[in-house]
Amino acid sequence: MNGFVVGSWAPLVPELAERHGLSESALGLLILTLGLGSILIMPLSGALIARIGALPVLRVTCLLCAVALLPVALAPAVPVLVGVLFVFGGIIGSMDIAMNANAVVVEKRLKKAIMSSCHGFWSVGGLIGAASGGVLIDRFGSSVQVALVSAIALVVAVSFLTRLAPDMPLAADAKPRFRLTLAPMPYVVGLVALFSMVPEGAILDWGALYLRQELGADVTLSGLAFGAVAATMAVMRFAGDAVRQKFGAVTTMRYSAVVAAVGLLLAATASGPTMAIAGFALSGIGIANLVPVALSAAGNLPDLPPGVGISIATSMGYSGILLAPALIGFIAEYQGFSVAFMGLAGLFIVVLGLSSVARHADLSEVAEAPFAGG
């Protein structure tokens, strides 16, 4: 459901730019507010999760997320749009932390990797939202699109809220509290999450505009920029848990980083929409398991509650999404999106260099530890 809402945002971006008369740089600054909402509100969500557990936070943010896209599409002016995008980013980011903390709980209960499959379902939702969004906007307009998205998301949320896994019980002497740590490992894992999430977010925010403005795609075809990524990510994420358990998290991360870089370079140097979509699809194969492995590692770091590790890693990842849209917008306005996407491919080389931190995601090395939640 979360992926469906976020995927539905992607084809809405060109529509908002046209309606409000925004240049690439102005649109980048506008999208900046979405990342700002995420990065400022996520630490508060992490604190709340550490105190009361992931489940209550997940239930509330799930309901809010279902209807969060409505005010974005219906905002009458840019100042209003800034405010609602800030709130939208905060809701998405808070639900992100709660979902991943809950997934770590499920992994520990089952004693098997399931994080990639959870992200696979997110990608399925993203694919449906992105692929259908362009068609709906083209035929009925953005108001009808977001109304349908909200109605479907709300039905899904209400149907499954009571079926979520309960938090792990606290140890008798545990005192639930949130605190940042000075240990370097959570921040190294966070850097991997950062450099893995920025290119994915760039395709989400700018892929459709790149296809339309520089490669001449129509509205429906441009929605497939993120749709292609979501499709290949979904397939690879459902396979990712088995791959990770067979080859190990470190090897999985290394090969994934190489494939992601090659795919993004192909998209950046494409001569037409079809080639660019193929490049984005290839990059999705690589991106697919980078974030799940990083977040699983963050949630299983020694001597650190899962909510804290995931909050640090996710916050760092979103901090890149906070800065990247404006930077990419400025680069695109003066140099073109092709140059911007080539630069983003270089981030995966850094991920390749830091891939050894993924060893903490291997469940054979994870000691049983209580979750700091209700």
Side-chain angles (χ1 to χ4, degrees):
M1 187 277 282
N2 182 281
F4 176 57
V5 173
V6 176
S8 298
W9 151 254
L12 191 59
V13 173
E15 170 74 12
L16 292 175
E18 184 176 347
R19 186 196 313 167
H20 296 285
L22 301 171
S23 65
E24 287 89 344
S25 56
L27 186 60
L29 291 173
L30 183 67
I31 298 173
L32 184 69
T33 62
L34 190 153
L36 187 62
S38 296
I39 200 68
L40 293 180
I41 295 175
M42 278 196 301
L44 301 179
S45 302
L48 197 59
I49 290 170
R51 181 166 295 275
I52 68 173
L55 186 56
V57 177
L58 181 53
R59 283 174 171 161
V60 172
T61 55
C62 189
L63 289 172
L64 292 175
C65 178
V67 297
L69 205 56
L70 270 172
V72 174
L74 301 178
V78 172
V80 178
L81 186 57
V82 169
V84 295
L85 276 178
F86 180 89
V87 175
F88 180 62
I91 292 169
I92 294 296
S94 298
M95 186 177 175
D96 201 316
I97 292 177
M99 284 191 301
N100 284 289
N102 191 255
V104 169
V105 171
V106 177
E107 281 194 325
K108 289 183 176 180
R109 287 183 182 276
L110 297 179
K111 296 182 174 64
K112 62 182 292 188
I114 57 94
M115 182 69 81
S116 288
S117 295
C118 290
H119 283 243
F121 281 104
W122 188 95
S123 296
V124 169
L127 170 62
I128 295 171
S132 64
V135 176
L136 290 173
I137 292 173
D138 191 33
R139 294 186 180 181
F140 304 109
S142 58
S143 297
V144 173
Q145 181 232 6
V146 296
L148 287 173
V149 167
S150 297
I152 294 169
L154 197 58
V155 169
V156 173
V158 171
S159 299
F160 291 96
L161 281 181
T162 59
R163 298 183 174 186
L164 298 169
D167 295 319
M168 298 288 276
L170 282 170
D173 59 346
K175 296 181 179 180
R177 63 191 183 96
F178 177 83
R179 57 179 175 80
L180 292 176
T181 177
L182 296 178
M185 192 56 67
Y187 301 99
V188 176
V189 176
L191 194 63
V192 171
L194 166 65
F195 287 171
S196 301
M197 290 174 72
V198 167
E200 180 184 351
I203 298 169
L204 170 65
D205 289 331
W206 296 109
L209 208 60
Y210 170 49
L211 291 183
R212 286 181 66 175
Q213 289 193 352
E214 296 191 12
L215 299 179
D218 59 23
V219 174
T220 301
L221 191 61
S222 65
L224 294 180
F226 184 68
V229 173
T232 54
M233 285 173 66
V235 173
M236 286 305 300
R237 281 176 168 173
F238 286 122
D241 294 319
V243 170
R244 187 173 115 195
Q245 290 184 167
K246 181 174 182 178
F247 298 105
V250 174
T251 300
T252 300
M253 180 169 281
R254 285 173 178 167
Y255 279 96
S256 296
V258 172
V259 172
V262 171
L264 207 53
L265 284 173
L266 179 63
T269 56
S271 57
T274 302
M275 183 177 174
I277 291 171
F280 285 139
L282 182 61
S283 71
I285 293 175
I287 293 171
N289 291 300
L290 291 176
V291 174
V293 170
L295 293 181
S296 189
N300 288 303
L301 292 174
D303 304 318
L304 199 66
V308 176
I310 291 173
S311 179
I312 292 172
T314 310
S315 295
M316 287 184 66
Y318 271 84
S319 70
I321 297 177
L322 167 66
L323 298 174
L327 179 59
I328 293 170
F330 284 122
I331 294 174
E333 186 165 355
Y334 296 104
Q335 299 294 328
F337 284 110
S338 179
V339 173
F341 282 123
M342 276 191 265
L344 290 171
L347 298 181
F348 292 118
I349 306 304
V350 179
V351 172
L352 180 64
L354 297 175
S355 57
S356 62
V357 302
R359 67 186 182 277
H360 296 288
D362 287 324
L363 295 179
S364 60
E365 299 181 9
V366 176
E368 289 295 323
F371 173 64

PDB file of all heavy atoms in Angstrom, residues 216-241:
ATOM      1  N   GLY A 216      11.366  12.755 -25.461  1.00  0.00           N
ATOM      2  CA  GLY A 216      10.143  12.873 -26.244  1.00  0.00           C
ATOM      3  C   GLY A 216       9.057  11.865 -25.970  1.00  0.00           C
ATOM      4  O   GLY A 216       8.204  11.615 -26.831  1.00  0.00           O
ATOM      5  N   ALA A 217       9.020  11.270 -24.772  1.00  0.00           N
ATOM      6  CA  ALA A 217       7.981  10.299 -24.437  1.00  0.00           C
ATOM      7  C   ALA A 217       6.667  11.008 -24.114  1.00  0.00           C
ATOM      8  O   ALA A 217       6.663  12.162 -23.669  1.00  0.00           O
ATOM      9  CB  ALA A 217       8.421   9.454 -23.243  1.00  0.00           C
ATOM     10  N   ASP A 218       5.542  10.313 -24.320  1.00  0.00           N
ATOM     11  CA  ASP A 218       4.255  10.888 -23.947  1.00  0.00           C
ATOM     12  C   ASP A 218       3.985  10.626 -22.464  1.00  0.00           C
ATOM     13  O   ASP A 218       4.787  10.010 -21.771  1.00  0.00           O
ATOM     14  CB  ASP A 218       3.120  10.330 -24.822  1.00  0.00           C
ATOM     15  CG  ASP A 218       2.993   8.812 -24.740  1.00  0.00           C
ATOM     16  OD1 ASP A 218       3.436   8.220 -23.726  1.00  0.00           O
ATOM     17  OD2 ASP A 218       2.458   8.207 -25.676  1.00  0.00           O
ATOM     18  N   VAL A 219       2.817  11.080 -21.967  1.00  0.00           N
ATOM     19  CA  VAL A 219       2.507  10.983 -20.536  1.00  0.00           C
ATOM     20  C   VAL A 219       2.481   9.529 -20.080  1.00  0.00           C
ATOM     21  O   VAL A 219       3.052   9.171 -19.046  1.00  0.00           O
ATOM     22  CB  VAL A 219       1.147  11.658 -20.237  1.00  0.00           C
ATOM     23  CG1 VAL A 219       0.759  11.442 -18.786  1.00  0.00           C
ATOM     24  CG2 VAL A 219       1.214  13.140 -20.541  1.00  0.00           C
ATOM     25  N   THR A 220       1.819   8.676 -20.853  1.00  0.00           N
ATOM     26  CA  THR A 220       1.687   7.272 -20.459  1.00  0.00           C
ATOM     27  C   THR A 220       3.039   6.574 -20.424  1.00  0.00           C
ATOM     28  O   THR A 220       3.373   5.863 -19.468  1.00  0.00           O
ATOM     29  CB  THR A 220       0.751   6.530 -21.430  1.00  0.00           C
ATOM     30  OG1 THR A 220      -0.528   7.167 -21.423  1.00  0.00           O
ATOM     31  CG2 THR A 220       0.594   5.074 -21.021  1.00  0.00           C
ATOM     32  N   LEU A 221       3.855   6.773 -21.464  1.00  0.00           N
ATOM     33  CA  LEU A 221       5.164   6.127 -21.531  1.00  0.00           C
ATOM     34  C   LEU A 221       6.103   6.651 -20.459  1.00  0.00           C
ATOM     35  O   LEU A 221       6.896   5.896 -19.881  1.00  0.00           O
ATOM     36  CB  LEU A 221       5.781   6.339 -22.921  1.00  0.00           C
ATOM     37  CG  LEU A 221       7.038   5.522 -23.256  1.00  0.00           C
ATOM     38  CD1 LEU A 221       6.726   4.032 -23.198  1.00  0.00           C
ATOM     39  CD2 LEU A 221       7.566   5.900 -24.626  1.00  0.00           C
ATOM     40  N   SER A 222       6.029   7.945 -20.146  1.00  0.00           N
ATOM     41  CA  SER A 222       6.932   8.522 -19.157  1.00  0.00           C
ATOM     42  C   SER A 222       6.698   7.943 -17.766  1.00  0.00           C
ATOM     43  O   SER A 222       7.615   7.868 -16.945  1.00  0.00           O
ATOM     44  CB  SER A 222       6.776  10.046 -19.120  1.00  0.00           C
ATOM     45  OG  SER A 222       5.490  10.414 -18.660  1.00  0.00           O
ATOM     46  N   GLY A 223       5.471   7.512 -17.482  1.00  0.00           N
ATOM     47  CA  GLY A 223       5.191   6.895 -16.193  1.00  0.00           C
ATOM     48  C   GLY A 223       5.901   5.571 -16.000  1.00  0.00           C
ATOM     49  O   GLY A 223       6.028   5.091 -14.870  1.00  0.00           O
ATOM     50  N   LEU A 224       6.395   4.988 -17.097  1.00  0.00           N
ATOM     51  CA  LEU A 224       7.089   3.700 -17.020  1.00  0.00           C
ATOM     52  C   LEU A 224       8.533   3.843 -16.576  1.00  0.00           C
ATOM     53  O   LEU A 224       9.207   2.830 -16.374  1.00  0.00           O
ATOM     54  CB  LEU A 224       7.039   2.998 -18.373  1.00  0.00           C
ATOM     55  CG  LEU A 224       5.649   2.566 -18.854  1.00  0.00           C
ATOM     56  CD1 LEU A 224       5.750   1.887 -20.207  1.00  0.00           C
ATOM     57  CD2 LEU A 224       5.000   1.630 -17.836  1.00  0.00           C
ATOM     58  N   ALA A 225       9.053   5.061 -16.416  1.00  0.00           N
ATOM     59  CA  ALA A 225      10.422   5.237 -15.923  1.00  0.00           C
ATOM     60  C   ALA A 225      10.560   4.587 -14.555  1.00  0.00           C
ATOM     61  O   ALA A 225      11.387   3.699 -14.344  1.00  0.00           O
ATOM     62  CB  ALA A 225      10.765   6.723 -15.852  1.00  0.00           C
ATOM     63  N   PHE A 226       9.727   5.030 -13.622  1.00  0.00           N
ATOM     64  CA  PHE A 226       9.763   4.402 -12.298  1.00  0.00           C
ATOM     65  C   PHE A 226       9.069   3.046 -12.320  1.00  0.00           C
ATOM     66  O   PHE A 226       9.434   2.150 -11.572  1.00  0.00           O
ATOM     67  CB  PHE A 226       9.104   5.308 -11.256  1.00  0.00           C
ATOM     68  CG  PHE A 226       9.196   4.762  -9.857  1.00  0.00           C
ATOM     69  CD1 PHE A 226      10.406   4.676  -9.212  1.00  0.00           C
ATOM     70  CD2 PHE A 226       8.059   4.304  -9.201  1.00  0.00           C
ATOM     71  CE1 PHE A 226      10.503   4.154  -7.920  1.00  0.00           C
ATOM     72  CE2 PHE A 226       8.139   3.793  -7.919  1.00  0.00           C
ATOM     73  CZ  PHE A 226       9.372   3.717  -7.270  1.00  0.00           C
ATOM     74  N   GLY A 227       8.077   2.898 -13.210  1.00  0.00           N
ATOM     75  CA  GLY A 227       7.391   1.619 -13.309  1.00  0.00           C
ATOM     76  C   GLY A 227       8.328   0.490 -13.682  1.00  0.00           C
ATOM     77  O   GLY A 227       8.223  -0.625 -13.152  1.00  0.00           O
ATOM     78  N   ALA A 228       9.263   0.746 -14.597  1.00  0.00           N
ATOM     79  CA  ALA A 228      10.227  -0.278 -15.002  1.00  0.00           C
ATOM     80  C   ALA A 228      11.141  -0.656 -13.846  1.00  0.00           C
ATOM     81  O   ALA A 228      11.446  -1.834 -13.632  1.00  0.00           O
ATOM     82  CB  ALA A 228      11.064   0.235 -16.178  1.00  0.00           C
ATOM     83  N   VAL A 229      11.569   0.342 -13.094  1.00  0.00           N
ATOM     84  CA  VAL A 229      12.404   0.087 -11.920  1.00  0.00           C
ATOM     85  C   VAL A 229      11.631  -0.723 -10.890  1.00  0.00           C
ATOM     86  O   VAL A 229      12.132  -1.698 -10.328  1.00  0.00           O
ATOM     87  CB  VAL A 229      12.896   1.413 -11.300  1.00  0.00           C
ATOM     88  CG1 VAL A 229      13.622   1.155  -9.992  1.00  0.00           C
ATOM     89  CG2 VAL A 229      13.817   2.132 -12.266  1.00  0.00           C
ATOM     90  N   ALA A 230      10.385  -0.321 -10.638  1.00  0.00           N
ATOM     91  CA  ALA A 230       9.565  -1.016  -9.651  1.00  0.00           C
ATOM     92  C   ALA A 230       9.327  -2.467 -10.052  1.00  0.00           C
ATOM     93  O   ALA A 230       9.320  -3.368  -9.203  1.00  0.00           O
ATOM     94  CB  ALA A 230       8.235  -0.284  -9.471  1.00  0.00           C
ATOM     95  N   ALA A 231       9.141  -2.715 -11.353  1.00  0.00           N
ATOM     96  CA  ALA A 231       8.879  -4.080 -11.829  1.00  0.00           C
ATOM     97  C   ALA A 231      10.084  -4.994 -11.593  1.00  0.00           C
ATOM     98  O   ALA A 231       9.953  -6.085 -11.037  1.00  0.00           O
ATOM     99  CB  ALA A 231       8.516  -4.054 -13.313  1.00  0.00           C
ATOM    100  N   THR A 232      11.266  -4.560 -12.043  1.00  0.00           N
ATOM    101  CA  THR A 232      12.452  -5.408 -11.870  1.00  0.00           C
ATOM    102  C   THR A 232      12.859  -5.507 -10.404  1.00  0.00           C
ATOM    103  O   THR A 232      13.338  -6.554  -9.958  1.00  0.00           O
ATOM    104  CB  THR A 232      13.634  -4.865 -12.694  1.00  0.00           C
ATOM    105  OG1 THR A 232      13.863  -3.482 -12.371  1.00  0.00           O
ATOM    106  CG2 THR A 232      13.343  -4.981 -14.183  1.00  0.00           C
ATOM    107  N   MET A 233      12.637  -4.432  -9.645  1.00  0.00           N
ATOM    108  CA  MET A 233      12.926  -4.486  -8.219  1.00  0.00           C
ATOM    109  C   MET A 233      12.030  -5.484  -7.518  1.00  0.00           C
ATOM    110  O   MET A 233      12.466  -6.229  -6.631  1.00  0.00           O
ATOM    111  CB  MET A 233      12.764  -3.090  -7.592  1.00  0.00           C
ATOM    112  CG  MET A 233      13.903  -2.138  -7.915  1.00  0.00           C
ATOM    113  SD  MET A 233      13.603  -0.449  -7.326  1.00  0.00           S
ATOM    114  CE  MET A 233      13.610  -0.705  -5.555  1.00  0.00           C
ATOM    115  N   ALA A 234      10.756  -5.524  -7.914  1.00  0.00           N
ATOM    116  CA  ALA A 234       9.822  -6.459  -7.295  1.00  0.00           C
ATOM    117  C   ALA A 234      10.270  -7.900  -7.524  1.00  0.00           C
ATOM    118  O   ALA A 234      10.323  -8.712  -6.592  1.00  0.00           O
ATOM    119  CB  ALA A 234       8.417  -6.244  -7.853  1.00  0.00           C
ATOM    120  N   VAL A 235      10.602  -8.231  -8.784  1.00  0.00           N
ATOM    121  CA  VAL A 235      11.035  -9.596  -9.109  1.00  0.00           C
ATOM    122  C   VAL A 235      12.281  -9.976  -8.320  1.00  0.00           C
ATOM    123  O   VAL A 235      12.365 -11.048  -7.704  1.00  0.00           O
ATOM    124  CB  VAL A 235      11.294  -9.734 -10.624  1.00  0.00           C
ATOM    125  CG1 VAL A 235      11.910 -11.093 -10.944  1.00  0.00           C
ATOM    126  CG2 VAL A 235       9.995  -9.540 -11.398  1.00  0.00           C
ATOM    127  N   MET A 236      13.271  -9.083  -8.320  1.00  0.00           N
ATOM    128  CA  MET A 236      14.536  -9.386  -7.648  1.00  0.00           C
ATOM    129  C   MET A 236      14.396  -9.407  -6.132  1.00  0.00           C
ATOM    130  O   MET A 236      15.100 -10.154  -5.450  1.00  0.00           O
ATOM    131  CB  MET A 236      15.602  -8.363  -8.059  1.00  0.00           C
ATOM    132  CG  MET A 236      16.118  -8.565  -9.473  1.00  0.00           C
ATOM    133  SD  MET A 236      16.744 -10.247  -9.766  1.00  0.00           S
ATOM    134  CE  MET A 236      18.066 -10.333  -8.548  1.00  0.00           C
ATOM    135  N   ARG A 237      13.490  -8.602  -5.600  1.00  0.00           N
ATOM    136  CA  ARG A 237      13.323  -8.604  -4.148  1.00  0.00           C
ATOM    137  C   ARG A 237      12.649  -9.884  -3.657  1.00  0.00           C
ATOM    138  O   ARG A 237      12.969 -10.381  -2.580  1.00  0.00           O
ATOM    139  CB  ARG A 237      12.544  -7.363  -3.717  1.00  0.00           C
ATOM    140  CG  ARG A 237      13.434  -6.132  -3.683  1.00  0.00           C
ATOM    141  CD  ARG A 237      12.702  -4.855  -3.369  1.00  0.00           C
ATOM    142  NE  ARG A 237      13.671  -3.794  -3.079  1.00  0.00           N
ATOM    143  CZ  ARG A 237      13.351  -2.516  -2.893  1.00  0.00           C
ATOM    144  NH1 ARG A 237      12.082  -2.123  -2.979  1.00  0.00           N
ATOM    145  NH2 ARG A 237      14.284  -1.627  -2.625  1.00  0.00           N
ATOM    146  N   PHE A 238      11.724 -10.424  -4.441  1.00  0.00           N
ATOM    147  CA  PHE A 238      11.126 -11.687  -4.044  1.00  0.00           C
ATOM    148  C   PHE A 238      12.146 -12.822  -4.116  1.00  0.00           C
ATOM    149  O   PHE A 238      12.037 -13.810  -3.384  1.00  0.00           O
ATOM    150  CB  PHE A 238       9.902 -11.993  -4.908  1.00  0.00           C
ATOM    151  CG  PHE A 238       8.697 -11.153  -4.562  1.00  0.00           C
ATOM    152  CD1 PHE A 238       8.102 -10.347  -5.518  1.00  0.00           C
ATOM    153  CD2 PHE A 238       8.178 -11.160  -3.278  1.00  0.00           C
ATOM    154  CE1 PHE A 238       7.000  -9.571  -5.194  1.00  0.00           C
ATOM    155  CE2 PHE A 238       7.081 -10.379  -2.945  1.00  0.00           C
ATOM    156  CZ  PHE A 238       6.487  -9.580  -3.903  1.00  0.00           C
ATOM    157  N   ALA A 239      13.126 -12.681  -4.996  1.00  0.00           N
ATOM    158  CA  ALA A 239      14.200 -13.675  -5.079  1.00  0.00           C
ATOM    159  C   ALA A 239      15.341 -13.356  -4.116  1.00  0.00           C
ATOM    160  O   ALA A 239      16.183 -14.216  -3.843  1.00  0.00           O
ATOM    161  CB  ALA A 239      14.744 -13.742  -6.506  1.00  0.00           C
ATOM    162  N   GLY A 240      15.363 -12.119  -3.602  1.00  0.00           N
ATOM    163  CA  GLY A 240      16.514 -11.643  -2.848  1.00  0.00           C
ATOM    164  C   GLY A 240      16.795 -12.383  -1.557  1.00  0.00           C
ATOM    165  O   GLY A 240      17.962 -12.577  -1.189  1.00  0.00           O
ATOM    166  N   ASP A 241      15.757 -12.802  -0.838  1.00  0.00           N
ATOM    167  CA  ASP A 241      15.990 -13.502   0.432  1.00  0.00           C
ATOM    168  C   ASP A 241      16.699 -14.827   0.201  1.00  0.00           C
ATOM    169  O   ASP A 241      17.636 -15.184   0.927  1.00  0.00           O
ATOM    170  CB  ASP A 241      14.651 -13.731   1.154  1.00  0.00           C
ATOM    171  CG  ASP A 241      14.011 -12.428   1.599  1.00  0.00           C
ATOM    172  OD1 ASP A 241      14.745 -11.544   2.080  1.00  0.00           O
ATOM    173  OD2 ASP A 241      12.782 -12.289   1.474  1.00  0.00           O
TER     174      ASP A 241
END
